[in-house]
């Protein structure tokens, strides 16, 4: 019998007696005992052994073996009637130590293992699968790491499996990180072995998880799983709670999961999932919670998402969802929290939502929603947060909204709301954040606003509000931020503004028509950091009290009629001349200002100097202002157009060859002027497409202007049209690693593109210069590779249609002043006719173009992937890899010493800096994967970017 064996074993270990007789007697005794207590010792012994391996802790004080007492009375232990342990429950006890010395084999009858919310470290024992009767496993919220043991798939009786909130990963993906040396991608292995040794990347969730058919709850959230969600989960037909959120899962949601009709709580948020969400998700008849936020999903939201009528929490924010707001959301009174902001959803604010008595939070900001604000919101009696910024919502702000007695945050900024602010605004006493910025609200600010005593942030900027600032504004005891800028407010600044004792972040009253003196009481705002009262009609002198504003770090008083001496204060010594400029007659001992007594008693020669200086400064300031206004107008116009209709902006100019997002002719002329008609003096580089010029505009703006080699003969109207669309698309892309394209102009003699200017030139130039290359240390280089990967991933996978670069090389990667990578020239390649000489020139760039390009013009994104591989390698080795690429492709049995090929100009990465080593190895591995001859075998840029990014987070 198994139990006898166990006991014998144990005993022969412990007993050191040489006396055979004694041993025999004891043995007989023990054997008898075992028969009747069915393995009690072995279980208690296993528990005690575990206890001994743990740091001493009071929670285990009851775990002592006095007189062979049964463990069944120990804390956290429950047994079956036979005295065998069925439950180990030490949840929430602060238990610390590891599971390494817990002999799981000793607990054949264990049903429940609950150790959640403790301080356990180390890994989950590999043999966890021996607990063959286990029904409940909860190790959540500990500090466990390592992989999820494959043996877990043997726990076929488990219905709740929760290992969430640890640092657990899956099985290493053998495809990406091959282990066997006969993999064709040999380079990968040798490099991996060299640098990868004990650094582990995230692993995938084994498909075998689907063997646990009885699962009702699977919670893996807050760990380090990456790769696909196993479709086998579709076998777990009882699954009700599925939490995979906050990992690095990628790929699509397997359709099989959509068929799990018992799902009530599904959380996928904060992963790298993409593709469309299975439509079946909408038909789940029990769904209560669905979280899809912060992934890369596209397509429509499931139209019947509230079919169950039980949906309480729904989030889909920060994805690329398009199409309408799900119809079933309109009639879904169960809703409690809804977050769908930052997508491209269309719909009508007044038609697509219903009345939700339980709703506390809804955010549909930054979508493409039109219509008006419905008075229905008043029916959502529990609503606390209502956000709909950045849509195209028009009409008035209905007074009913302010009937919401719980309302705390109302953000309707950046829409097209008009009319007056209703007087009822003062009604919800709970309101603490109000943002009406960027609309067309008119009329006066109602005095009733002063009843919002809890307000912390008030932004009414960029509207058309008139009249005086109400005195009641002084009531806001808790206000931290106040922005009333860019309106038509007039009258004086009420002295009550000094009562805003909590005001801290900013007070911005700029760009209004405020007049009179700056109130003395302003000085009472001791916590204020930024004060902007520029561009008004304020007069008189600056009150001495301003020096009492101890926190003040930014002050802008420019463009007023202020006069007299500047108070002596730290803030004025450090503020820039422009911030004080364009006033009537300010004086003081401050750079750029006239000393105060000079004009009275100093000889005329000195005062002459000042007479020259002041107008000069004024005019400099003026120029700055003009350019500011210009830029402001440009952004305003641009915003208007991109917001309403792109078609309009494309047709703005009669000339079919030009596309402008701002005042075309003026800028055209300015650019010709700034570059002295493209004088070589301003040339900062030359690419296959043409020369690049630096155009420093009068207002201080600097652009990079790329003058294309081609002229109009080369451009037929079809390619112009295509290109226009592309420029327009480019203009809408906002990615920190893509050079911003401001416009395109083809007029008269010149065809040029206007880009954001990058201080540090191209990566190629930087790497080509022995001195400058040193500035690019290993972490910076890794960062550059990551930046390029992220840009390409964005263009390939987040743009519709995908944009393919076709000419990725170190020449097209520009560096900003902080040495961050910015990919340039996106979209330009397609502009040129395939048979034009320029096309051949660039497609043939040595070693950069993917092999298949040489034979066929089928340009897929996998060509960009290849070029990226070359680029990444170039960054590592410091020069164009040239022949190394074909060498790596053709050698099958080659082991290159990675460290030998790294850029010799930098000192090799320090062996102790595991992080840098690991990242360099990853870059090398990925770059080699990208260089594979077969385009199909190359990873997608999405995968590359995710792997690089994942590493970032770990
Ligand atoms: C664990 O327990 C099993 C069954 O009781 C036993 O066979 C095994 O030897 C034990 N292992 C250790 C390392 O104590
Ligand atoms: C969802 O349910 C609707 C009607 O309730 C039905 O027409 C539709 O086919 C179902 N969709 C799927 C994908 O099951
Ligand atoms: C108000 O919303 C705008 C965007 O619409 C934003 O830029 C601004 O920061 C917000 N104001 C405050 C005080 O948060
Ligand atoms: C006012 O000045 C502050 C600080 O310099 C600045 O952040 C803010 O943008 C300015 N306001 C406007 C409307 O330009
Ligand atoms: C500005 O104030 C001056 C008096 O200080 C007044 O003459 C002028 O009309 C005001 N301008 C505007 C635009 O309000």
């Amino acid at each position: 019998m198994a139990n006898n064996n166990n006991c014998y074993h144990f005993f022969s270990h412990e007993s050191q007696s040489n006396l055979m007789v004694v041993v025999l007697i004891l043995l007989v005794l023990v054997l008898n005992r075992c028969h009747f207590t069915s393995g009690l010792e072995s279980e208690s012994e296993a528990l005690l052994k575990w206890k001994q391996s743990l740091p001493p802790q009071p929670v285990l004080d009851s775990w002592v073996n006095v007189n062979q007492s049964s463990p069944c009375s120990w804390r956290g232990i429950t047994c079956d009637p036979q005295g065998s342990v069925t439950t180990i429950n030490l949840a929430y006890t602060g238990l610390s130590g590891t599971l390494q010395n817990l002999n799981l084999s000793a607990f054949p009858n264990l049903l429940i293992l609950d150790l959640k919310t403790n301080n356990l470290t180390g890994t989950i024992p590999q043999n966890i699968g021996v607990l063959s009767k286990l029904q409940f496993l909860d190790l959540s919220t500990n500090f466990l790491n390592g992989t999820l043991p494959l043996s877990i798939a043997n726990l076929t009786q488990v219905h709740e499996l929760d290992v969430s909130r640890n640092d657990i990963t899956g099985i290493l993906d053998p495809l990406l990180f091959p282990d066997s040396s006969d993999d064709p991608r040999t380079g990968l292995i040798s490099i991996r072995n060299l640098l990868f040794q004990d650094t582990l990347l995230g692993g995938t969730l084994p498909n075998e998880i689907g063997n646990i058919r009885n699962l009702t709850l699977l919670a893996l959230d807050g760990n380090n799983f990456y790769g696909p969600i196993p479709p086998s989960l579709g076998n777990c037909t009882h699954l009700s709670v599925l939490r995979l959120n906050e990992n690095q899962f990628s790929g699509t949601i397997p359709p099989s999961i959509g068929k799990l009709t018992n799902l009530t709580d599904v959380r996928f948020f904060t992963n790298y999932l993409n593709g469309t969400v299975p439509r079946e998700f909408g038909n789940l008849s029990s769904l209560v919670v669905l979280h899809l936020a912060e992934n890369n999903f596209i397509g429509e939201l499931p139209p019947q998402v509230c079919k169950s009528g039980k949906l309480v929490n729904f989030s889909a924010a920060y994805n690329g969802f398009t199409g309408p707001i799900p119809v079933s959301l309109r009639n879904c009174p169960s809703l409690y929290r809804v977050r769908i902001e930052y997508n491209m959803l269309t719909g009508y604010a007044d038609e697509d939502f219903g009345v939700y008595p339980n709703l506390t939070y809804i955010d549909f900001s930054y979508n493409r929603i039109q219509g008006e604000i419905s008075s229905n919101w008043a029916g959502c009696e529990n609503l606390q947060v209502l956000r709909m910024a950045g849509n195209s919502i028009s009409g008035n702000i209905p007074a009913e909204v302010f009937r919401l007695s719980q309302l705390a945050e109302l953000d309707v900024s950046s829409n097209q709301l008009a009319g007056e602010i209703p007087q009822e605004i003062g009604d919800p006493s709970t309101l603490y954040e109000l943002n009406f910025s960027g609309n067309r609200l008119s009329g006066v600010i109602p005095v009733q606003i002063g009843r919002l005593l809890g307000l912390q942030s008030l932004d009414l900027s960029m509207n058309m509000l008139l009249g005086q600032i109400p005195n009641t504004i002084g009531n806001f005891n808790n206000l931290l931020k106040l922005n009333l800028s860019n309106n038509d407010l007039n009258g004086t600044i009420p002295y009550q503004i000094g009562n805003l004792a909590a005001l801290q972040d900013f007070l911005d009253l700029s760009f209004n028509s405020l007049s009179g003196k700056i109130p003395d009481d302003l000085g009472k705002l001791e916590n204020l950091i930024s004060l902007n009262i520029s561009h008004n009609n304020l007069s008189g002198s600056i009150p001495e009290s301003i020096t009492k504003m101890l926190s003040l770090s930014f002050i802008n008083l420019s463009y007023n009629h202020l006069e007299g001496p500047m108070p002596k204060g730290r803030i004025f010594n450090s503020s820039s001349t422009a911030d004080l400029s364009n006033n009537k007659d300010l004086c003081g001992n401050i750079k750029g200002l006239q000393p105060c007594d000079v004009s009275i008693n100093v000889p005329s020669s000195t005062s002459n100097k000042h007479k020259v200086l002041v107008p000069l400064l004024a005019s400099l300031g003026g120029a700055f202002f003009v350019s500011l206004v210009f830029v402001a107008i440009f952004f305003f116009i641009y915003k208007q157009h991109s917001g309403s209709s792109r078609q309009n902006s494309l047709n703005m100019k009669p000339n079919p060859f030009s596309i402008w997002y701002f005042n075309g002719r003026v800028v055209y002329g300015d650019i010709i002027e700034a570059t002295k008609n493209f004088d070589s003096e301003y040339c900062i580089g030359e690419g296959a497409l043409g020369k690049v010029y630096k155009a420093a505009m009068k207002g201080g703006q600097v652009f990079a202007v790329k003058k294309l080699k081609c002229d109009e003969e080369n451009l037929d109207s079809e390619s112009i049209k295509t290109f226009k669309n592309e420029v327009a698309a480019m203009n809408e892309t906002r990615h920190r690693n893509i050079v911003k394209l401001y416009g395109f102009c083809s007029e008269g003699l010149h065809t040029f593109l206007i880009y954001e200017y990058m201080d540090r030139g191209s990566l190629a130039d930087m790497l080509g210069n022995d001195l400058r290359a040193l500035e690019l240390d290993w972490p910076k280089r890794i960062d550059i590779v990551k930046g390029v990967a992220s840009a390409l991933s964005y263009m390939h996978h987040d743009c519709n249609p995908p944009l393919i670069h076709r000419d990725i090389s170190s020449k097209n990667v520009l560096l900003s002043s902080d040495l961050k990578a910015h990919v340039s020239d996106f979209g330009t390649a397609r502009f040129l006719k395939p048979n034009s000489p320029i096309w051949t020139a660039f497609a043939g760039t040595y070693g950069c173009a993917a092999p298949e390009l040489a034979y066929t013009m089928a340009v897929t994104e996998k060509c960009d992937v290849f070029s990226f591989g070359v680029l990444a390698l170039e960054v590592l080795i410091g020069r164009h890899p040239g022949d190394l690429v074909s060498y790596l492709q053709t050698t099958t049995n080659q082991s290159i010493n990675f460290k030998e090929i790294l850029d010799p100009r930098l000192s090799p990465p320090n062996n102790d800096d595991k992080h840098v080593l690991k990242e360099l190895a990853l870059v090398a591995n990925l770059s080699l994967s990208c260089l594979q001859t077969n385009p199909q075998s190359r990873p997608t840029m999405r995968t590359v970017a995710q792997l690089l990014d994942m590493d970032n987070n770990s």
Side-chain angles (χ1 to χ4, degrees):
M1 282 178 105
N3 283 333
N4 294 354
N5 277 342
N6 286 350
C7 292
Y8 173 78
H9 221 114
F10 145 55
F11 216 91
S12 63
H13 261 290
E14 297 297 303
S15 166
Q16 297 300 317
S17 170
N18 293 329
L19 296 168
M20 279 298 276
V21 181
V22 176
V23 170
L24 277 172
I25 291 169
L26 283 175
L27 230 148
V28 169
L29 273 175
V30 163
L31 287 175
N32 277 336
R33 247 198 131 80
C34 285
H35 272 296
F36 94 56
T37 54
S38 82
L40 205 112
E41 275 92 350
S42 85
E43 288 183 339
S44 63
E45 183 62 16
L47 289 172
L48 287 177
K49 266 198 199 156
W50 184 38
K51 176 186 173 179
Q52 272 154 28
S53 78
L54 302 175
Q57 39 203 318
V59 50
L60 299 181
D61 279 355
S62 62
W63 289 27
V64 278
N65 205 352
V66 217
N67 301 330
Q68 306 291 337
S69 80
S70 126
C72 304
S73 59
W74 295 355
R75 180 161 177 191
I77 306 296
T78 314
C79 303
D80 60 14
Q82 286 73 42
S84 183
V85 174
T86 55
T87 301
I88 302 177
N89 181 349
L90 293 169
Y92 307 106
T93 56
L95 190 71
S96 61
T98 74
L99 297 173
Q100 252 30 70
N101 293 302
L102 176 59
N103 184 1
L104 296 174
S105 317
F107 303 95
N109 297 311
L110 196 65
L111 303 176
I112 296 177
L113 179 57
D114 188 354
L115 302 174
K116 69 168 152 288
T117 318
N118 283 309
N119 299 319
L120 295 172
T121 53
T123 60
I124 302 176
Q126 285 303 314
N127 67 341
I128 188 127
V130 301
L131 300 171
S132 59
K133 291 190 183 160
L134 200 68
Q135 296 175 357
F136 181 97
L137 175 61
D138 193 343
L139 303 175
S140 63
T141 320
N142 277 290
F143 300 96
L144 299 169
N145 57 25
T147 61
L148 187 71
L150 206 51
S151 77
I152 210 147
N154 297 340
L155 301 178
T156 51
Q157 302 304 308
V158 166
H159 36 77
E160 298 205 5
L161 171 54
D162 190 345
V163 297
S164 59
R165 309 282 141 197
N166 281 289
D167 191 18
I168 296 167
T169 182
I171 310 298
L172 276 188
D173 181 351
L175 262 181
L176 263 161
F177 304 100
D179 255 316
S180 78
S181 50
D182 49 14
D183 189 276
R185 285 162 291 169
T186 352
L188 267 155
I189 301 148
S190 51
I191 291 172
R192 192 172 111 79
N193 290 343
L194 196 71
L195 287 177
F196 248 33
Q197 272 130 31
D198 47 12
T199 46
L200 207 64
L201 286 161
T204 57
L205 182 61
N207 204 36
E208 286 81 357
I209 194 92
N211 295 356
I212 316 180
R213 300 284 167 105
N214 289 322
L215 276 181
T216 58
L217 177 145
L218 177 62
L220 306 175
D221 48 297
N223 278 295
N224 202 11
F225 290 96
Y226 92 107
I229 299 174
S232 63
L233 278 181
N235 299 338
C236 309
T237 49
H238 304 292
L239 209 54
S240 160
V241 178
L242 177 59
R243 300 199 325 242
L244 304 181
N245 47 289
E246 296 159 277
N247 278 288
Q248 281 120 31
F249 283 110
S250 54
T252 57
I253 300 178
S256 58
I257 292 184
K259 302 208 170 71
L260 298 172
T261 49
N262 293 315
L263 285 175
T264 59
D265 182 345
V266 181
R267 304 183 190 194
F268 289 138
F269 66 89
T270 318
N271 278 292
Y272 298 103
L273 296 167
N274 58 28
T276 57
V277 174
R279 283 178 79 81
E280 288 88 348
F281 261 58
N283 283 17
L284 298 174
S285 52
S286 320
L287 206 59
V288 176
V289 174
L290 178 60
H291 283 306
L292 305 169
E294 295 186 47
N295 280 289
N296 300 314
F297 291 123
I298 55 167
E300 292 193 8
L301 285 167
Q304 296 300 331
V305 67
C306 189
K307 176 141 182 264
S308 67
K310 299 175 192 154
L311 192 66
V312 167
N313 271 353
F314 176 52
S315 81
Y318 297 94
N319 278 290
F321 285 115
T322 52
I325 292 170
V327 285
S328 79
L329 280 192
R330 194 171 353 157
N331 184 17
C332 188
S334 51
L335 283 175
Y336 178 78
R337 226 178 129 88
V338 176
R339 290 192 51 191
I340 52 176
E341 72 270 19
Y342 290 94
N343 281 290
M344 290 169 280
L345 299 169
T346 51
Y348 291 87
D350 45 349
E351 289 172 17
D352 294 341
F353 300 98
V355 176
Y356 313 106
N358 302 324
L359 192 69
T360 61
Y361 189 115
I362 186 165
D363 190 346
F364 52 95
S365 300
Y366 299 96
N367 277 291
R368 298 179 179 168
I369 292 167
Q370 310 170 41
E372 305 195 350
I373 302 179
S374 149
S375 49
N376 271 351
W377 292 111
C380 307
E381 286 168 3
N382 286 300
L383 200 57
Q384 294 168 10
V385 175
L386 176 58
R387 294 177 172 274
M388 51 180 93
N391 283 294
S392 306
I393 298 167
S394 53
N396 298 337
I397 300 177
E400 287 85 348
V401 167
F402 302 106
R403 259 195 245 144
L404 292 167
S405 60
Q406 315 273 313
L407 195 64
E409 290 179 44
L410 177 62
D411 185 354
V412 297
S413 62
S414 298
N415 277 294
Q416 285 143 26
L417 296 165
E420 302 197 357
I421 299 176
Q423 296 178 356
E424 289 79 356
I425 191 166
D427 293 353
S429 54
T430 43
L431 209 56
Y432 70 77
E433 187 183 326
L434 196 59
N435 195 342
F436 290 170
S437 166
N439 281 290
R440 300 191 202 124
L441 299 172
S442 52
V444 299
I445 303 176
V447 290
Q448 290 85 348
I449 200 169
R451 289 164 51 194
L452 299 173
L453 298 181
L455 214 54
Q456 294 186 5
S457 170
L458 175 62
D459 193 341
L460 305 178
S461 64
M462 295 200 277
N463 278 292
M464 302 182 308
L465 298 169
L466 302 165
Q468 307 220 358
I469 300 176
N471 300 342
T472 53
I473 206 151
N475 298 354
F476 301 142
N477 287 328
N478 297 306
L479 202 65
L480 300 170
K481 309 171 184 181
L482 176 59
N483 192 349
L484 304 177
S485 67
N486 283 289
N487 280 291
D488 292 318
L489 300 171
N490 57 29
T492 55
I493 300 176
Y495 72 85
Q496 289 88 345
I497 209 148
N499 298 341
L500 301 176
L503 206 59
Q504 184 174 349
D505 298 47
F506 48 80
L507 170 59
D508 196 342
L509 305 176
S510 63
F511 294 93
N512 278 293
S513 306
L514 299 168
S515 55
K517 294 189 62 177
I518 300 175
D520 267 345
D521 281 11
L522 204 60
K524 293 190 342 204
L525 302 178
E526 286 186 5
N527 298 315
L528 189 65
I529 293 170
S530 170
L531 172 66
N532 193 346
I533 50 176
S534 67
H535 296 272
N536 277 294
N537 200 8
L538 299 165
S539 53
S541 58
I542 299 172
E544 193 62 36
S545 64
I546 275 202
T547 56
K548 287 191 275 175
M549 301 175 71
L550 297 174
S551 308
L552 207 56
S553 309
F554 305 97
I555 186 166
N556 193 343
L557 306 175
S558 63
Y559 294 88
N560 280 293
H561 300 291
L562 301 168
E563 61 193 325
M566 294 295 300
K568 294 190 180 59
R570 181 185 52 88
I571 179 65
F572 295 113
N573 294 330
S574 60
S575 57
S576 87
T577 321
D579 289 342
L580 306 174
S581 70
N582 288 282
N583 275 294
K584 194 169 164 200
D585 196 10
L586 285 176
C587 64
N589 258 338
I590 288 168
K591 184 166 53 98
L593 286 188
Q594 188 177 9
C596 286
D597 27 358
V598 156
S599 50
I600 309 159
N601 43 17
V602 170
S604 58
S605 66
T606 336
S607 64
N608 271 345
K609 231 193 259 167
H610 288 287
K611 273 184 196 140
V612 180
L613 185 63
V614 171
L616 182 71
L617 282 172
S619 71
L620 276 179
F624 182 68
F625 171 58
V626 169
S627 72
L628 264 186
V629 168
F630 168 68
V631 170
I633 290 174
F634 148 44
F635 278 112
F636 184 68
I637 291 174
Y638 165 69
K639 213 171 135 203
Q640 296 274 307
H641 280 271
S642 61
S644 52
S645 140
R646 193 200 292 172
Q647 222 49 44
N648 273 349
S649 63
L650 293 177
N651 298 338
M652 232 166 83
K653 298 277 300 168
N655 183 339
F657 295 116
S658 68
I659 166 173
W660 279 118
Y661 293 89
F662 45 111
N663 190 342
R665 287 192 191 281
V666 176
V667 175
Y668 178 82
D670 284 356
I671 280 178
I672 302 289
E673 200 184 317
T675 57
K676 296 214 179 107
N677 202 7
F678 298 105
D679 190 289
S680 54
E681 181 191 342
Y682 297 93
C683 184
I684 49 171
E686 182 165 9
L689 294 171
K691 289 187 175 158
V692 185
Y693 297 85
K694 175 175 177 179
M697 311 295 274
K698 282 192 202 114
Q701 279 270 304
V702 183
F703 295 111
V705 178
K706 176 165 276 190
K707 185 168 173 294
L708 299 180
K709 268 185 197 159
C710 51
D711 41 36
E712 276 173 38
E713 295 155 37
N714 256 335
L715 306 169
D716 58 45
S717 60
E718 197 50 38
S719 47
I720 288 278
K721 215 172 103 203
T722 318
F723 187 60
K724 267 190 193 179
N725 292 335
E726 216 149 291
V727 170
M730 280 303 302
N731 222 299
E732 284 186 0
T733 59
R734 251 143 260 236
H735 190 282
R736 63 182 182 284
N737 297 111
I738 295 176
V739 177
K740 181 122 186 60
L741 174 62
Y742 288 116
F744 157 69
C745 177
S746 179
E747 214 177 82
L749 292 171
H750 307 297
T751 302
F752 55 80
L753 295 153
I754 303 168
Y755 287 103
E756 187 183 356
Y757 176 73
M758 291 286 139
D759 292 45
R760 306 300 302 264
S762 75
L763 176 62
D765 289 347
M766 195 107 181
L767 287 176
N769 180 310
D770 286 349
L771 211 64
R772 295 174 64 203
L774 296 180
E775 245 184 281
L776 295 176
D777 57 19
W778 295 120
K780 289 207 184 75
R781 290 186 192 209
I782 291 163
D783 207 47
I784 287 170
V785 173
K786 284 181 180 175
V788 175
S790 164
L792 284 172
S793 166
Y794 176 78
M795 298 306 266
H796 287 179
H797 301 283
D798 297 324
C799 291
N800 195 8
L803 285 170
I804 298 170
H805 191 291
R806 308 177 198 211
D807 192 19
I808 288 291
S809 80
S810 55
K811 286 187 197 137
N812 284 330
V813 174
L814 305 182
L815 301 174
S816 52
S817 46
D818 53 354
L819 295 174
K820 299 273 187 249
H822 291 67
V823 178
S824 77
D825 271 357
F826 247 113
T828 47
R830 211 189 300 183
F831 164 50
L832 300 161
K833 280 194 293 187
N835 51 1
S836 81
I838 293 151
W839 172 274
T840 14
F842 98 83
T845 310
Y846 173 71
C848 272
E852 68 269 22
L853 254 189
Y855 313 112
T856 145
M857 289 311 289
V859 184
T860 67
E861 71 267 31
K862 290 295 175 78
C863 303
D864 279 356
V865 176
F866 183 91
S867 308
F868 170 80
V870 177
L871 179 93
L873 204 54
E874 179 173 348
V875 171
L876 293 185
I877 69 179
R879 59 184 165 80
H880 192 280
D883 288 343
L884 187 62
V885 172
S886 46
Y887 177 70
L888 288 171
Q889 280 175 336
T890 50
T891 47
T892 48
N893 197 12
Q894 180 55 45
S895 180
I896 33 169
N897 185 339
F898 181 53
K899 282 191 175 171
E900 268 174 22
I901 63 167
L902 285 179
D903 190 343
R905 293 170 299 184
L906 292 189
S907 43
N910 187 337
N911 271 329
D912 297 332
D913 194 345
K914 284 274 184 321
H915 189 67
V916 166
L917 278 183
K918 178 177 153 186
E919 294 210 303
L920 281 175
L922 181 61
V923 169
N925 276 301
L926 288 174
S927 106
L928 293 176
S929 313
C930 295
L931 292 174
Q932 292 175 91
T933 326
N934 178 2
Q936 258 75 49
S937 312
R938 297 173 202 154
T940 65
M941 282 317 298
R942 166 89 83 213
T943 308
V944 172
Q946 280 170 359
L947 286 169
L948 288 167
D949 200 43
M950 181 178 80
D951 197 55
N952 219 16
N953 302 333
S954 61

